[in-house]
Amino acid sequence: GRRPEIAMRLFAFVIGFALCLTGAASADTGRRVALVVGNAAYEGTRPLANPVNDATAMAEKLKGLGFEVILATDIDRRGAVTAIGQFSRAIDGAAIALFYFAGHGMQLGGQNLLLPTDVSVDSEWALRSSAIEAQEIVAVMERRAEVAIAILDACRDNPYVDAAVRSLDGGTRSAAVERGLGPMRLTGRGALIAYAAAAGDVAGDGAGTHSPFTAALLAEIDLPNVEVGLMFRKVARRVRDETRGDQHPELLVRLVDEVYLNPTATAGPAPA
């Protein structure tokens, strides 16, 4: 008498499990789009050594992982707006949207600003209108793609911070200027933010061809069958070892399903 009921429950479980696997796999097999930015030649200050190298190498890695890549190096505010607009249109309906930025970044009144090469720190208004707000890019990625991944190697020792503090300290300062980047908000739909350094800390530009963070990322990002959260934790360990504990990457994860940047046919099934 209970056999039909048991059979129906087993059937329902199998169907439900299959649907979960389909959802988990969709981000691995669908269309992928990346915007990769590397800014080194900043106006009025010594150029950074590695962001262009970092961005170029990241673009090649992502192309190998099946991403459509928009690569932008040494871009001013106008170039940034153009690239972000192109990216925003391209990620509509994508399985994975990935944004990578290497260069200068800072906080102003709790907002994370990514700096184009022609950023102005003459006043708070000039800074806000010439920089790119990272939260806005992440929000667009979350709205338009199934999975949003932001990788921010943007905490390099930043001479603009001291200049901004001086210009904003003129008696009517309305927002605090801080080094590094701070926490950002995620909706929970499916997003991950990887920071090269802990909140408020400075990340190294690197003595070699790449920054410590991007060098570690390049070594890990295309290894097969590694879930993306685990991949970034392995990157963090490499960076801590390489910098002897001076730099601590951080990770903010709001992913519903497991995501693999390099899944293979030999990978085991993703858990529901």
Side-chain angles (χ1 to χ4, degrees), residues 70-71 79 170 209 215:
I70 301 165
L71 174 62
T209 306

Side-chain angles (χ1 to χ4, degrees), residues 8-261:
M8 287 299 294
R9 287 183 178 178
L10 180 60
F11 177 75
F13 172 79
V14 171
I15 294 300
F17 186 67
L19 288 174
C20 286
L21 292 184
T22 301
S26 63
D28 304 329
T29 58
R31 193 166 60 89
R32 303 165 165 208
V33 184
L35 172 59
V36 178
V37 178
N39 280 350
Y42 284 90
E43 296 178 3
T45 187
R46 182 171 58 87
L48 290 167
N50 287 324
V52 173
N53 297 336
D54 293 339
T56 303
M58 273 297 301
E60 289 304 310
K61 282 281 188 179
L62 292 170
K63 288 177 184 177
L65 290 168
F67 279 83
E68 305 166 27
V69 177
I70 301 165
L71 174 62
T73 59
D74 285 333
I75 52 174
D76 57 13
R77 167 74 184 191
R78 176 174 292 185
V81 169
T82 299
I84 293 167
Q86 181 184 354
F87 179 58
S88 176
R89 292 187 295 273
I91 63 175
D92 194 22
I96 300 178
L98 187 148
F99 172 62
Y100 170 91
F101 181 89
H104 282 314
M106 62 192 296
Q107 295 180 66
L108 177 64
Q111 290 184 315
N112 289 320
L113 304 181
L114 307 177
L115 306 188
T117 57
D118 61 347
V119 64
S120 172
V121 294
D122 291 340
S123 66
E124 180 179 336
W125 172 254
L127 177 55
R128 288 189 185 278
S129 60
S130 62
I132 305 299
E133 219 282 286
Q135 182 72 62
E136 294 179 0
I137 299 175
V138 172
V140 170
M141 292 164 64
E142 285 193 281
R143 286 196 304 269
R144 292 178 174 257
E146 292 180 36
V147 172
I149 299 174
I151 305 171
L152 305 176
D153 196 354
C155 308
R156 311 185 190 206
D157 195 13
N158 188 348
Y160 290 110
V161 172
D162 292 335
V165 168
R166 289 193 298 271
S167 64
L168 271 61
D169 249 347
T172 58
R173 184 179 180 185
S174 60
V177 178
E178 299 180 52
R179 294 187 184 278
L181 301 179
M184 285 194 280
R185 301 179 304 279
L186 296 176
T187 65
R189 178 183 175 187
L192 177 151
I193 302 176
Y195 300 89
D201 284 350
V202 172
D205 191 39
T209 306
H210 300 293
S211 76
F213 179 77
T214 294
L217 182 58
L218 291 169
E220 297 284 350
I221 195 169
D222 57 356
L223 296 182
N225 304 329
V226 181
E227 202 280 327
V228 69
L230 174 59
M231 184 267 289
F232 277 110
R233 290 194 293 274
K234 292 170 70 176
V235 168
R237 176 172 300 218
R238 279 181 179 264
V239 172
R240 288 196 300 269
D241 291 346
E242 175 67 23
T243 63
R244 298 182 180 180
D246 287 340
Q247 185 172 330
H248 297 271
E250 289 191 345
L251 188 63
L252 177 60
V253 182
R254 295 288 187 274
L255 290 175
V256 176
D257 299 310
E258 291 186 348
V259 175
Y260 294 82
L261 295 182

